[in-house]
Amino acid sequence: MTIPEHVKKILGTLNREGFEGYAVGGCVRDAVLNRVPEDWDITTDATPEEVKRIFGRTLDTGIAHGTVTVMLGKEGYEVTTYRTDGEYSDGRHPDYVTFTPSLKEDLKRRDFTINAMACGLDEQVIDLFGGREDLLRRVIRCVGTPEERFHEDALRMLRAIRFSAQLNFDIEPETWRALCGQTENMRKVSRERIFSELNKILLSEHPEKLALLISSGMGKYLDISAEELLCSEEIAALPKQKHLRWAALCSNLSGEGAGAVLHSLKSELETERRVLLLVREMKEKLPENLPQMRRKLAAIGPDRMEDLIILKQFGFGSQSSEQEVFCARQRKAAVLEAGDCISRRTLTVSGKDLLKAGVRPGPPIGEALDYLFQLVLNEPELNEKNVLLQRLEEKRRREKE
Ligand code: ATP
Ligand code: MG
């Protein structure tokens, strides 16, 4: 496997100073698979103090856990001292960590065999737990005894499903049995970490692996009404956008139900709002004529309209034929290209104009603007100040009669 120059530089410096240094974990796994690693993590027998002394520019990222970030140019590389984890009395974090001079001990604490490989400057992979074989067999297997490893840290169960979705791997039977046996421990994991893993699964190449949450029995501990989730393979066809994929997953729920799921997972508000809106709107038909399209664009905006069309195109929400989807897309483009008024901001009449024209301040202004906006959404060519004021005058006259 090939190690990037920056990483080689760090490993070389460590070696010259008399320390061991290896690329480790996810980057080795990805490089062996010919995937591009997101980041390169480094492990060493040098203590954090020694790492800081050797490298000029460093940041104290997680000193307590032995992690120092070494800066090369604009990029940072996490260099972590070999360590073993102490007892896990809370099922989440080790009570303490101990630095060790042994690479083997450090690899042993890692979650899965495919994540427990290291690679030195010579580009030889050090694989003490059969990680390469598991990559070939395409399985996720715990390092050591699965029951113990999941008991130490319940998040690993969700990580197992996450890696199976990202890599399209199976979970090895013994690891799977252990996982199914202690899903209840998911209660100990924070909502934020659960949400982060669920997002990684949902945004992976194989989001349908979310079905494993349900078949393992984990769903009920995640505050998501698992039986109602739609873990369909079609989700993989959607663009990798959080709100789109969550909306698809929650399409059998009500808009409020979907919003509540995201709320309980401590989603950022923006995603929660988008998903709620999309799930609600997906149950309706797509706009079937230009006025309907303008009204919908005015209500939800062009971006959410496009989301809705995409969701329908891939079969989510109430059924829409290919023809209906095609026409909706054309209508949306037509309205936007024509520059039709779909926002009160581009209405040619303002509240001030209405005051001048003798409309009473307060609610009557709002009502009049509303009336004119609806007129313009139906007939965009009416959006001229004189025309609209005249229409308003006619309406008042009619009402007096
Ligand atoms: P990604 O591509 O998502 O970053 P990764 O394998 O790098 O995947 P990280 O969460 O960045 O995953 O963790 C880096 C490494 O640390 C893992 O490869 C694994 O060796 C180890 N690790 C991370 N979390 C745990 C955990 N909960 N239990 C045991 N080992 C872990
Ligand atoms: Mg990583």
Side-chain angles (χ1 to χ4, degrees):
M1 61 171 268
T2 336
I3 298 180
E5 284 312 311
H6 267 176
V7 179
K8 279 190 179 168
K9 213 166 151 184
I10 296 174
L11 300 184
T13 307
L14 285 168
N15 292 167
R16 264 195 314 282
E17 295 283 333
F19 296 106
E20 297 176 9
Y22 297 92
V24 70
C27 58
V28 179
R29 173 199 69 220
D30 289 343
V32 171
L33 284 171
N34 278 323
R35 295 162 69 103
V36 181
E38 267 191 27
D39 37 34
W40 287 80
D41 294 329
I42 292 158
T43 188
T44 179
D45 59 349
T47 63
E49 298 315 317
E50 286 165 332
V51 173
K52 283 166 69 170
R53 178 176 55 78
I54 298 170
F55 294 96
R57 291 195 300 136
T58 62
L59 302 170
D60 288 7
T61 317
I63 282 283
H65 298 103
T67 304
V68 172
T69 298
V70 171
M71 298 300 300
L72 282 190
K74 279 186 193 151
E75 301 203 57
Y77 296 86
E78 290 195 350
V79 179
T80 304
T81 306
Y82 296 161
R83 62 170 217 236
T84 57
D85 295 338
E87 292 287 304
Y88 283 77
S89 48
D90 64 354
R92 282 190 295 192
H93 315 96
D95 300 341
Y96 53 90
V97 304
T98 315
F99 299 142
T100 160
S102 155
L103 172 65
K104 180 176 180 184
E105 284 300 311
D106 182 84
L107 295 177
K108 215 166 103 183
R109 73 166 169 93
R110 294 173 184 271
D111 48 6
F112 306 112
T113 59
I114 59 169
N115 287 348
M117 294 183 284
C119 181
L121 206 50
D122 59 3
E123 301 193 328
Q124 297 301 307
V125 176
I126 298 176
D127 174 17
L128 307 177
F129 304 100
R132 253 181 315 196
E133 196 184 331
D134 286 341
L135 283 180
L136 278 175
R137 289 199 203 160
R138 304 173 65 82
V139 294
I140 312 292
R141 179 200 311 273
C142 285
V143 173
T145 315
E147 280 81 8
E148 285 171 18
R149 304 314 308 283
F150 290 144
H151 189 74
E152 286 169 353
D153 178 1
L155 181 71
R156 290 175 187 153
M157 296 190 273
L158 202 45
R159 282 172 61 89
I161 297 177
R162 188 253 281 194
F163 287 117
S164 118
Q166 288 178 325
L167 303 169
N168 196 21
F169 280 22
D170 286 330
I171 298 177
E172 176 275 327
E174 208 188 319
T175 296
W176 176 248
R177 254 196 309 279
L179 188 159
C180 295
Q182 40 181 300
T183 50
E184 203 174 334
N185 287 337
M186 282 310 297
R187 286 208 177 111
K188 298 178 184 167
V189 180
S190 74
R191 302 278 117 191
E192 289 86 349
R193 297 186 84 175
I194 292 175
F195 187 54
S196 150
E197 290 298 323
L198 290 180
N199 282 319
K200 287 181 184 171
I201 301 173
L202 206 50
L203 296 176
S204 74
E205 293 295 325
H206 294 277
E208 72 280 3
K209 295 268 190 185
L210 277 165
L212 296 176
L213 293 180
I214 299 162
S215 55
S216 65
M218 199 188 289
K220 54 180 171 293
Y221 303 110
L222 304 182
D223 267 11
I224 49 183
S225 35
E227 17 355 295
E228 290 176 317
L229 294 184
L230 190 72
C231 301
S232 111
E233 290 193 20
E234 298 295 325
I235 297 181
L238 291 171
K240 288 182 179 167
Q241 292 177 30
K242 227 174 176 179
H243 64 287
L244 274 179
R245 291 190 168 198
W246 271 105
L249 185 69
C250 293
S251 50
N252 288 341
L253 302 175
S254 67
E256 287 67 27
V261 165
L262 282 147
H263 189 75
S264 81
L265 289 170
K266 306 213 161 135
S267 158
E268 55 290 348
L269 201 55
E270 185 61 21
T271 306
E272 182 186 323
R273 284 200 186 125
R274 285 183 184 178
V275 172
L276 190 155
L277 180 135
L278 287 173
V279 170
R280 183 187 290 155
E281 295 287 338
M282 274 156 70
K283 311 208 183 309
E284 312 279 320
K285 289 190 119 193
L286 287 167
E288 290 179 309
N289 52 48
L290 288 171
Q292 276 184 20
M293 178 56 80
R294 286 187 212 102
R295 254 193 282 281
K296 198 48 96 183
L297 284 168
I300 69 175
D303 292 345
R304 292 299 80 72
M305 189 66 229
E306 184 56 32
D307 290 342
L308 213 48
I309 294 174
I310 291 173
L311 285 163
K312 293 276 187 160
Q313 179 183 347
F314 290 102
F316 296 100
S318 71
Q319 215 197 332
S320 295
S321 68
E322 248 174 72
Q323 176 74 5
E324 284 166 330
V325 170
F326 176 80
C327 290
R329 204 168 249 130
Q330 297 257 305
R331 282 185 195 109
K332 170 177 160 264
V335 170
L336 295 178
E337 272 161 36
D340 290 351
C341 166
I342 50 166
S343 154
R344 272 158 214 266
R345 279 195 304 266
T346 52
L347 200 62
T348 52
V349 168
S350 67
K352 253 190 205 158
D353 296 325
L354 293 181
L355 280 174
K356 256 195 243 162
V359 181
R360 274 176 293 123
I365 296 274
E367 284 158 23
L369 282 174
D370 217 44
Y371 171 71
L372 296 177
F373 188 45
Q374 294 306 319
L375 278 185
V376 167
L377 289 174
N378 271 331
E379 296 176 71
E381 57 283 2
L382 297 181
N383 194 18
E384 285 185 38
K385 196 179 286 197
N386 293 337
V387 177
L388 289 180
L389 289 174
Q390 195 184 331
R391 287 291 180 115
L392 193 63
E393 191 47 43
E394 285 165 15
K395 177 173 179 266
R396 285 158 93 190
R397 219 176 297 140
R398 273 201 308 278
E399 282 168 357
K400 273 189 195 145
E401 278 165 14

